[in-house]
Amino acid sequence: MTYAQIVDGLTRPDVQDIFAEADRVRREQVGDAVHLRGLIEFSNVCGRDCFYCGLRRSNRAVERYSMSIDEIYETAANAARLGYKSLVLQSGESSAYPVADVCRLLERIKRELKVAITLSIGEKTREEYASLKAAGADRYLLRFETSSSRLFAELKPDSSFDERMQCLLWLKELGFQVGSGIMVGLPGQTPEMIADDIMLMKILDLDMIGIGPFIPNPQTPLEGAVSGTLDMTLRAVALIRLVTRNTHIPATTAMGSIDKQGRQRALRCGANVLMPNVTPTRYREHYQLYPGKICIQDKPADCALCISGMVASLGRSIAQDAGHSLKSVGRGASAS
Ligand code: 5AD
Ligand code: FES
């Protein structure tokens, strides 16, 4: 697909043909089974001040929490009991947890629960990433948020686009399965920028690509901004599937939060992953990057039931394996 075709797919009035083709490529490349990743939001403490995010450090309205290492383990064990074979540990970006403690937690989870572990804990040093990998982390999620370095600088005043790219390259070098992605509908973001984002995803040869609509948070400087749309987000999902072929693409919580059918629709135009929340209910209301987040009152078992019903209603199945990258197998081997 050319850059011009991507821009066309993001802007022309009707894209039913693109949605249908993305659904076909999804089936051909990654199959009908939907992979589940149980999401543990273990701390909302954050040292950064991103303009879009409700967890930004300047937001005094948030009650901050950090689960203990033991509590994170128990949450993971509960998720494993619910049948999840792949867990995501996510938090704000902070140094509240010594890396050595996280490493011991990872070793215990790997030893006792035998699940795939994805970390989503932000920018770290190369040495820290190396320790986390050695302790058993399989995957890492770090969205680049936008490939426009100007927009990035405007929205993430205390971060650097180049440093984030450096982190992604380290993660790849260290052998993580790497996920990245963007928000769709950021203030000042153009379709051309989203086309650039998709090209960058392709160049980075990502294993996983997570995107969602930008949803303005009233407790942030972007409170008055316009929300991203589900339509544009679905177009991006479909085009990412067509361009990157065999990547894992989640139907994200943000999609489900702006539209009741958001995740279902994403699963029908390219997505093949769901990330059910397994965070203990009492913490959920405090982990709101954006308003209107779904599942705030639900228990892990509620989301498990809801998700299996959703997958069944789409005529799809739930994958029984850990859902590793479909790329690592072929990595280093000759292309065929
Ligand atoms: N709306 C939608 N997504 C958001 N994120 C952060 N804030 C918002 C918001 N207001 C996304 C970012 C981040 C991920 C964990 O959540 O892309 O990487
Ligand atoms: Fe949580 Fe549907 S995924 S209730």
Side-chain angles (χ1 to χ4, degrees), residues 52-54 90 120 143 145 164 181-183 212-217 254 287 289-291:
Y52 45 81
C53 183
Q90 187 177 77
S120 177
R143 291 187 181 176
E145 315 293 2
R164 210 159 175 91
I182 60 161
M183 281 171 283
F214 159 69
I215 304 171
N217 189 319
Y287 202 91
L289 317 183
Y290 47 81

Side-chain angles (χ1 to χ4, degrees), residues 317-330:
S317 59
I318 288 176
Q320 295 305 311
D321 61 331
H324 285 297
S325 171
L326 296 157
K327 302 201 170 207
S328 49
V329 184

Side-chain angles (χ1 to χ4, degrees), residues 89-206:
L89 303 184
Q90 187 177 77
S91 69
E93 197 168 308
S94 84
S95 37
Y97 295 82
V99 169
D101 292 359
V102 180
C103 287
R104 256 174 283 131
L105 169 69
L106 298 177
E107 285 160 6
R108 183 166 175 215
I109 293 177
K110 287 306 271 192
R111 189 174 60 240
E112 312 207 352
L113 306 177
K114 313 239 176 321
V115 292
I117 305 175
T118 303
L119 293 175
S120 177
I121 57 176
E123 295 177 34
K124 303 268 171 207
T125 64
R126 193 182 196 284
E127 290 65 38
E128 289 170 326
Y129 285 146
S131 311
L132 295 164
K133 182 76 179 63
D138 301 282
R139 312 176 186 153
Y140 208 99
L141 303 180
L142 187 72
R143 291 187 181 176
F144 58 77
E145 315 293 2
T146 171
S147 61
S148 158
S149 50
R150 228 189 78 195
L151 189 57
F152 186 100
E154 279 171 27
L155 299 176
K156 286 176 73 67
D158 46 15
S159 311
S160 133
F161 180 79
D162 290 351
E163 284 172 17
R164 210 159 175 91
M165 279 300 127
Q166 176 64 262
C167 286
L168 286 167
L169 298 179
W170 283 335
L171 290 163
K172 285 177 69 77
E173 275 171 20
L174 290 165
F176 283 91
Q177 298 168 42
V178 177
S180 193
I182 60 161
M183 281 171 283
V184 174
L186 288 166
Q189 186 187 50
T190 61
E192 287 74 17
M193 286 179 191
I194 299 175
D196 287 335
D197 296 337
I198 296 175
M199 296 296 241
L200 180 57
M201 291 167 186
K202 173 77 177 170
I203 291 167
L204 288 172
D205 191 28
L206 298 167

Side-chain angles (χ1 to χ4, degrees), residues 211-213 230 233-234 237 250-259 262-263 266:
I211 71 166
L230 181 63
T233 307
L234 295 177
V237 165
T252 56
T253 305
M255 297 175 189
S257 298
I258 54 163
D259 187 311
R263 288 175 296 177

